[in-house]
Amino acid sequence: MSLTRFLPTPSDRMGILWTLLNIEESVIIEYGPAGTTHYSMGLFGELGIDQENRLFTTHLREDDVVMGDTSRLESTILEVDHTFNPKVIFVVASSSSAVIGTDIRGVCTMMQEKVKAKLISFEEGGFRGDYAVGLKLTYSLLVESICKNANITEGNTTKQTGKTKRYNILGASAGAYRCASDVNEILRLMREAFDMTVHTSLCYDTSVTKLMNINEVDVNIVLRNEALEAARELEKTFGTPYIYVVPYGYEKTIDFLQTLAKILQVVPNEKVLARLQKKSKQTSMYKMYARMFKQHKMQAFLYGEYESVKGLSNFLQGLGFTVPHTISSHNTHTIEEKDSAITYLQHEKDRIDVLKSLDHTLVLADDTSSTLVDKTNTYMRISMPLIFGSQVAKHIPIIGEHGADLLIETIDAYLNSLK
């Protein structure tokens, strides 16, 4: 890992943990020293994730490492199963246990007949890549180990029940900025446009029971690339179609609703579409503004999660912006059909140099980026980590209609600073 001045990108282990912590009726046991779990809990608290009676550690000792003794892990599994009676226990390797090659999967296989809970192991320990790798692995493993075990009986599949007027959200990551607000925006749009309700959100707000009945819906809505493999597996197993159109901006939100309408074979609420089309038409004036500025040009710098910078870049370019720098905050090697305009800078210094060179630019990024640009730029937070302030509100999205409304306000403030 290169020298890091600010905060390093979270590892795959962190992505696994913050995803699993959102599954009710389950418990996580991390096989490692107490210190690593304590550090993790501090981050999860900032993300607003409930950890009470959900995350435990075995407190790995030096002699456990030297001797390869797993008795402490075995006794912890028995104790957690007896005390909390969860439906699933996730056993996750820490960096320490992963380094010494502890056979977590073998321990779970051996212990399965001794406990009531289903044991599911994660042996990565933070060495497979950054958190995006952990997200993809977790979504896929949950589908394979829990969702595909759904009780498929007559009248229990999407094809047999017909229209359930329910859907799933796949790829909602608790580590994403404004995740709760973005999920609520999808819920609002689906309710207003189609009168549909959510079954479960993988993995922002869900439970083992909901995952085991994940097939009882009409469609799966994919919000990030890492969940595509899981969506395809659900389609293959249960015949549930999926949509992968992330609604950033008015036009993309219209596209999102119209694509869903074709899959569902229904007509979306005309008032919702008319409202979005009116707002989209009103944004045409920004291209006129782009021609009016003599000294400065409308340009933007984007840094954040791949889906965010991709969607926001397309929205801004549609308004007449040039976007010379679109940078993903995580490695993009897991992304299918990657947008070539989006880069990933392995060395933090390269991003710092770009930020320090900006002037009169709309900067959509994280809090650390805001400390590196001068006052001629207009800044808006679109990405973790949080350094200044907090995210408490759950009704201020970045995606969808309301997300576009918020962005337009920031864009107007930016335009007022140009000449």
Side-chain angles (χ1 to χ4, degrees):
M1 183 175 68
S2 61
L3 181 66
T4 302
R5 175 178 171 183
F6 295 105
L7 297 173
T9 304
S11 69
D12 58 353
R13 165 180 162 269
M14 298 300 284
I16 290 169
L17 288 174
W18 77 49
T19 301
L20 298 180
L21 276 169
N22 287 281
I23 305 175
E24 296 288 341
E25 305 172 311
S26 72
V27 169
I28 300 172
I29 297 175
E30 185 176 30
Y31 186 44
T36 58
T37 304
H38 177 74
Y39 170 79
S40 301
M41 292 175 71
L43 171 64
F44 301 145
E46 291 183 2
L47 298 179
I49 299 174
D50 181 16
Q51 306 163 62
E52 185 176 0
N53 296 332
R54 300 288 295 281
L55 178 60
F56 299 90
T57 180
T58 58
H59 187 41
L60 191 65
R61 298 185 306 184
E62 289 183 5
D63 55 345
D64 297 325
V65 174
V66 173
M67 303 302 295
D69 183 11
T70 61
S71 59
R72 187 180 295 270
L73 174 59
E74 296 165 23
S75 61
T76 302
I77 291 174
L78 291 172
E79 181 179 354
V80 167
D81 182 69
H82 174 73
T83 305
F84 299 100
N85 195 30
K87 292 186 176 181
V88 173
I89 296 176
F90 298 107
V91 183
V92 180
S94 68
S95 54
S96 300
S97 57
V99 162
I100 63 176
T102 304
D103 185 9
I104 301 291
R105 184 175 302 172
V107 172
C108 289
T109 300
M110 178 187 67
M111 295 295 296
Q112 184 60 78
E113 63 181 20
K114 300 179 182 180
V115 295
K116 295 179 181 179
K118 180 179 179 63
L119 300 179
I120 300 175
S121 62
F122 288 84
E123 298 184 304
E124 285 61 38
F127 298 106
R128 297 285 182 87
D130 61 29
Y131 70 93
V133 174
L135 295 180
K136 184 174 183 177
L137 185 150
T138 308
Y139 297 145
S140 297
L141 188 55
L142 288 174
V143 167
E144 186 66 30
S145 59
I146 299 178
C147 301
K148 287 177 68 174
N149 291 326
N151 183 23
I152 307 175
T153 58
E154 185 176 357
N156 193 39
T157 68
T158 300
K159 289 184 177 180
Q160 291 169 329
T161 59
K163 299 298 181 181
T164 68
K165 295 188 74 65
R166 293 196 300 176
Y167 59 93
N168 296 315
I169 297 175
L170 307 182
S173 170
Y177 181 62
R178 295 293 184 195
C179 172
S181 293
D182 284 350
V183 168
N184 285 334
E185 176 71 353
I186 296 295
L187 267 58
R188 184 189 67 83
L189 287 169
M190 294 296 289
R191 181 174 62 251
E192 290 188 15
F194 301 108
D195 191 28
M196 295 182 70
T197 58
V198 68
H199 170 62
T200 194
S201 178
L202 181 66
C203 257
Y204 166 69
D205 179 20
T206 189
S207 67
V208 174
T209 298
K210 289 181 177 180
L211 291 178
M212 292 188 69
N213 295 297
I214 202 169
N215 57 312
E216 298 178 356
V217 297
D218 296 320
V219 67
N220 288 321
I221 296 173
V222 178
L223 292 185
R224 62 185 302 147
N225 197 278
E226 289 83 1
L228 268 177
E229 187 176 305
R232 293 190 185 114
E233 196 60 37
L234 290 172
E235 182 178 49
K236 178 181 177 182
T237 304
F238 303 118
T240 310
Y242 68 88
I243 172 179
Y244 178 41
V245 178
V246 190
Y248 284 96
Y250 301 122
E251 282 297 323
K252 206 64 176 180
T253 302
I254 294 171
D255 185 18
F256 169 78
L257 295 177
Q258 290 178 335
T259 303
L260 271 170
K262 291 180 181 178
I263 292 175
L264 298 170
Q265 298 182 341
V266 297
V267 177
N269 187 297
E270 293 182 359
K271 291 184 178 179
V272 175
L273 285 180
R275 186 176 69 229
L276 286 165
Q277 289 165 348
K278 180 180 179 180
K279 289 183 177 182
S280 179
K281 186 177 181 179
Q282 289 172 341
T283 62
S284 62
M285 64 181 181
Y286 290 100
K287 290 185 178 180
M288 177 186 69
Y289 290 156
R291 296 189 293 268
M292 292 174 58
F293 294 110
K294 304 300 181 182
Q295 185 174 342
H296 306 131
K297 299 300 180 183
M298 291 165 49
Q299 65 177 10
F301 168 93
L302 277 76
Y303 173 73
E305 295 198 296
Y306 177 86
E307 297 293 352
S308 297
V309 297
K310 177 183 177 181
L312 294 176
S313 176
N314 290 335
F315 179 46
L316 292 173
Q317 290 181 65
L319 300 180
F321 277 76
T322 58
V323 188
H325 302 289
T326 311
I327 304 172
S328 173
S329 58
H330 57 85
N331 200 309
T332 57
H333 73 269
T334 62
I335 303 297
E336 301 178 22
E337 300 180 6
K338 183 177 64 175
D339 188 331
S340 60
I342 301 175
T343 58
Y344 169 71
L345 300 179
Q346 185 174 357
H347 302 291
E348 183 189 61
K349 184 179 182 301
D350 295 335
R351 176 168 56 91
I352 292 175
D353 290 342
V354 172
L355 283 162
K356 288 186 174 181
S357 71
L358 299 177
D359 64 88
H360 300 94
T361 299
L362 176 63
V363 178
L364 307 181
D366 63 347
D367 278 350
T368 56
S369 298
S370 70
T371 66
L372 299 168
V373 295
D374 63 38
K375 293 183 179 180
T376 65
N377 300 284
T378 300
Y379 165 74
M380 176 180 173
R381 181 201 292 155
I382 64 159
S383 176
M384 300 293 278
L386 299 177
I387 306 297
F388 312 111
S390 59
Q391 56 169 351
V392 177
K394 296 183 179 181
H395 62 285
I396 308 176
I398 303 296
I399 67 172
E401 176 187 8
H402 288 172
D405 291 345
L406 179 63
L407 286 161
I408 289 295
E409 291 183 359
T410 303
I411 290 169
D412 286 343
Y414 164 69
L415 295 180
N416 287 332
S417 72
L418 301 183
K419 295 181 181 180

